[in-house]
């Protein structure tokens, strides 16, 4: 059941001792980078500033903009010839940032992923189909190395090419997949098109859903379509990539691997720590990295620590499913809206929700929101009244959730463009 029982179930005292020792090492290492070296001098900080884990709060935060401004090598903490791998973020919110790994970093990262996958039941005997983009994006190679470490047979399918994905899945009797949730839904429409039923025609029993926010309802919907168990996988390139936090078999929050990451949750406005269990922005310090360790990295991801102990016996704390990024929040007529609130409502309505898109517009007087929603094909073949009733129902449901009335446009399945990577949920035309 455990990949590394000792580490996964280490007592909180011991875990914190380990974190402190690694934090001190990390601060020593970061000092060697151009960025932190300069910063520590200016602020008179050093490894001696750390006597307890709380002392991390003496150090300033690191942001994506800091990484962009010191692109590409300003944060490396080892001589360049120690580096063996580069990756980059997806660039969802602007210019992509780059990260670097030493051989040790790759080994630690692969081990973390092996830990995640083993935790939910993947074994050496499994056939693992990795439907993530290989290359600069961390989701492909990250999982690939982890799965090989377990000893599974890896099919490096990469992203896209849906018919081939299905063919591979059937020919090689894939048992475990790694997939972006919005792509899992898209792929289900291709199964239907081919007159196949993933529940009967494939042998997949476990899926790892990662790389983009998705609701509990979306997970349940995907599990229903495929009849596999789907586990939430969270990570970001600045902290290696996937393998930062992962659901255990209880599917109630993601264990964040505290032997590798020191976790803080802050109020994104005041930048002060929030009370235990309260929602805020996740901030992390990588305490095992050599190549490019980061201190107090602001992820912009909103979550909270789930209080209490997980029945699985792991002592590493759990974070709740990510609600969205602070930069995802839309403000429309003074109301704050997260795309995930819309997804949550849509997933509750039958025949709706393989894909949706939020479009924001501005005319002379007003801002407006249109939600384009893909609905079951049958609505376009039948009575127009039925379509209108569904449209009204969706508009009402969304109004109840958002407190404003969006315009709702119903469209046929697959009419909203779907790329291979993370789903684009918002188009904002309001910029002047
Ligand atoms: P970018 O920040 O450009 O998207 P990354 O590829 O590093 O680049 O993506 C990391 C981000 O993806 C995270 O900060 C988070 O916003 C999102 N993400 C990754 N996994 C999940 C997940 N399971 N749930 C919600 N969001 C996720
Ligand atoms: Zn658990």
């Amino acid at each position: 059941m455990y990949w590394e029982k000792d580490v996964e179930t280490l007592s909180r005292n011991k875990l914190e001792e380990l974190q402190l020792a690694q934090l001190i090492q990390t601060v020593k290492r970061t000092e060697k980078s151009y960025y932190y070296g300069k910063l520590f001098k200016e602020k008179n900080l050093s490894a001696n500033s750390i006597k307890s884990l709380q002392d991390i709060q003496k150090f300033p935060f690191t942001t994506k903009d800091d990484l962009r401004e010191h692109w590409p090598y300003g944060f490396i903490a080892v001589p360049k010839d120690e580096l063996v791998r580069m990756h980059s973020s997806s660039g969802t919110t602007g210019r992509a940032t780059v990260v670097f790994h030493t051989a040790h970093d790759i080994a630690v990262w692969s081990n973390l992923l092996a830990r995640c996958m083993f935790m939910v039941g993947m074994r050496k005997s499994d056939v693992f189909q990795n439907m993530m983009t290989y290359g600069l994006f961390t989701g492909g190679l990250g999982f690939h190395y982890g799965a090989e470490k377990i000893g599974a047979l890896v099919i490096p399918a990469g992203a896209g090419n849906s018919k081939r994905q299905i063919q591979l899945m059937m020919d090689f009797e894939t048992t475990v997949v790694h997939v972006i949730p919005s792509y899992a839904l898209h792929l289900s429409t291709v199964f239907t098109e081919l007159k196949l039923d993933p529940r009967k025609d494939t042998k997949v029993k476990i899926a790892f859903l990662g790389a983009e926010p998705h609701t509990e309802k979306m997970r349940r919907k995907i599990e229903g379509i495929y009849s596999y168990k789907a586990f939430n996988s969270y990570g970001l390139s600045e902290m290696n990539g996937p393998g930062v936090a992962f659901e255990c078999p209880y599917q109630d929050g993601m264990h964040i691997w505290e032997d590798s990451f020191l976790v803080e949750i802050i109020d994104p406005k005041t930048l002060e720590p929030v009370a235990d269990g309260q929602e805020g922005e996740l901030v992390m310090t990588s305490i095992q990295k050599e190549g490019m360790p980061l201190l107090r990295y602001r992820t912009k991801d909103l979550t909270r620590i789930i209080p209490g102990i997980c029945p699985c016996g792991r002592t590493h704390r759990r974070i709740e499913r990510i609600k969205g990024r602070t930069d995802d929040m839309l403000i429309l007529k003074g109301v704050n809206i997260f795309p995930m609130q819309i997804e949550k409502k849509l997933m509750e309505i039958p025949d709706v929700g393989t894909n949706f898109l939020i479009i924001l517009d501005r005319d002379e007087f007003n801002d407006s929101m249109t939600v384009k929603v893909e609905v079951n094909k049958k609505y376009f073949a039948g009575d127009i009244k039925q379509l209108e009733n569904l449209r009204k129902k969706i508009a009402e449901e969304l109004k109840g959730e958002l407190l404003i009335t969006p315009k709702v446009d119903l469209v046929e399945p697959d009419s909203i463009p779907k790329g291979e990577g993370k789903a684009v949920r918002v188009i904002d035309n309001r910029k002047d």
Side-chain angles (χ1 to χ4, degrees):
M1 176 179 181
Y2 302 106
W3 177 249
E4 293 159 294
K5 183 157 193 244
D6 293 357
V7 185
E8 290 171 56
T9 62
L10 202 60
S11 72
R12 287 301 306 178
N13 276 347
K14 285 259 156 47
L15 190 53
E16 283 171 18
E17 262 172 40
L18 178 76
Q19 285 189 312
L20 183 59
Q22 287 181 173
L23 177 62
I24 292 169
Q25 284 308 316
T26 300
V27 172
K28 279 186 188 151
R29 262 189 231 127
T30 52
E31 197 162 12
K32 297 194 187 111
S33 72
Y34 170 80
Y35 176 81
Y36 288 114
K38 203 163 134 232
L39 185 75
F40 290 3
K41 255 195 212 118
E42 279 165 22
K43 308 244 176 216
N44 202 16
L45 291 163
S46 74
N48 292 332
S49 319
I50 304 269
K51 303 280 180 255
S52 74
L53 287 175
Q54 280 65 41
D55 288 335
I56 187 70
Q57 291 175 16
K58 296 178 184 163
F59 288 73
F61 294 106
T62 306
T63 65
K64 230 182 174 87
D65 284 337
D66 295 328
L67 300 182
R68 286 181 181 135
E69 276 161 34
H70 296 84
W71 192 88
Y73 290 121
F75 278 84
I76 59 169
V78 294
K80 218 164 112 194
D81 63 359
E82 295 289 312
L83 301 174
V84 300
R85 176 98 68 85
M86 169 191 148
H87 275 291
S88 89
S89 66
S90 311
T92 310
T93 57
R95 182 172 171 189
T97 51
V98 284
V99 288
F100 299 96
H101 302 274
T102 64
H104 163 265
D105 294 336
I106 297 288
V108 172
W109 180 23
S110 308
N111 187 60
L112 283 177
L113 275 162
R115 190 193 286 174
C116 295
M117 291 188 264
F118 194 88
M119 169 163 78
V120 294
M122 182 160 128
R123 296 294 179 269
K124 199 175 172 320
S125 50
D126 279 303
V127 178
F128 172 62
Q129 188 166 330
N130 195 10
M131 300 193 250
M132 286 278 170
T133 307
Y134 275 69
L136 286 174
F137 176 58
T138 54
L141 285 170
F143 267 84
H144 184 105
Y145 272 58
E148 282 191 354
K149 192 159 172 85
I150 289 181
L153 170 59
V154 183
I155 306 178
N161 206 339
S162 304
K163 287 185 181 149
R164 193 184 60 178
Q165 297 285 5
I166 293 172
Q167 196 66 49
L168 288 168
M169 227 176 261
M170 299 203 315
D171 287 353
F172 302 100
E173 305 196 326
T174 301
T175 52
V176 182
V177 296
H178 176 209
V179 62
I180 296 188
S182 56
Y183 186 72
L185 284 184
H186 168 74
L187 192 66
S188 75
T189 66
V190 184
F191 271 100
T192 312
E193 208 180 284
L194 297 173
K195 304 211 167 16
L196 292 168
D197 179 352
R199 279 170 293 204
K200 297 197 192 99
D201 300 314
T202 73
K203 294 209 156 53
V204 184
K205 56 181 188 196
I206 297 173
F208 311 128
L209 301 183
E212 65 183 14
H214 55 291
T215 53
E216 178 67 27
K217 291 249 153 54
M218 171 112 150
R219 181 247 293 277
R220 294 299 173 207
K221 181 170 185 144
I222 293 170
E223 285 188 333
I225 293 171
Y226 289 93
S227 98
Y228 52 47
K229 280 256 163 230
F231 299 93
N232 195 359
S233 154
Y234 169 78
L236 61 160
S237 54
E238 291 83 358
M239 297 287 129
N240 293 336
V244 173
F246 213 87
E247 272 180 342
C248 72
Y250 287 89
Q251 293 186 312
D252 182 17
M254 300 180 277
H255 289 283
I256 187 157
W257 299 124
E258 295 183 83
D259 57 324
S260 268
F261 308 101
L262 184 64
V263 179
E264 299 171 78
I265 308 275
I266 62 162
D267 177 327
K269 288 206 188 78
T270 63
L271 307 184
E272 292 298 322
V274 300
D276 265 357
Q278 293 303 301
E279 186 183 285
E281 179 180 336
L282 177 65
V283 169
M284 278 185 288
T285 299
S286 45
I287 51 176
Q288 287 215 51
K289 281 281 295 261
E290 285 180 356
M292 193 174 139
L294 297 179
L295 302 180
R296 306 194 86 197
Y297 182 70
R298 286 187 62 184
T299 64
K300 304 265 183 107
D301 292 325
L302 295 171
T303 183
R304 69 186 191 102
I305 300 273
I306 299 177
I309 298 161
C310 185
C312 78
R314 289 177 183 82
T315 48
H316 301 240
R317 286 176 300 171
R318 290 166 297 163
I319 55 168
E320 198 164 70
R321 159 187 305 286
I322 306 290
K323 182 172 158 195
R325 302 187 189 217
T326 50
D327 358 297
D328 277 350
M329 194 177 76
L330 311 168
I331 304 178
L332 192 78
K333 299 176 182 168
V335 180
N336 298 347
I337 298 167
F338 281 97
M340 282 303 103
Q341 285 176 281
I342 294 178
E343 180 181 299
K344 191 173 110 207
K345 276 291 149 198
L346 294 180
M347 289 295 148
E348 284 169 8
I349 306 170
D351 291 332
V352 169
T354 39
N355 202 355
F356 69 95
L357 182 65
I358 302 161
I359 302 162
L360 303 171
D361 286 301
R362 169 170 293 164
D363 66 17
E364 223 177 314
F365 307 104
N366 248 323
D367 285 2
S368 64
M369 173 193 272
T370 305
V371 185
K372 257 191 178 183
V373 185
E374 288 184 4
V375 299
N376 194 308
K377 232 186 184 138
K378 70 180 185 208
Y379 285 91
F380 294 91
D383 189 355
I384 190 115
K385 231 193 230 151
Q386 240 188 336
L387 192 67
E388 182 51 22
N389 285 344
L390 182 64
R391 201 191 60 72
K392 275 200 191 129
K393 181 175 160 59
I394 295 174
E396 257 161 44
E397 291 282 332
L398 291 179
K399 186 181 176 197
E401 172 74 27
L402 309 174
L403 309 174
I404 55 158
T405 314
K407 185 169 168 276
V408 175
D409 256 2
L410 301 186
V411 296
E412 292 196 47
D414 274 342
S415 51
I416 299 172
K418 169 80 190 90
E420 292 184 350
K422 303 180 188 218
V424 175
R425 295 299 190 201
V426 182
I427 295 179
D428 194 341
N429 298 320
R430 295 179 301 175
K431 293 175 190 104
D432 303 315

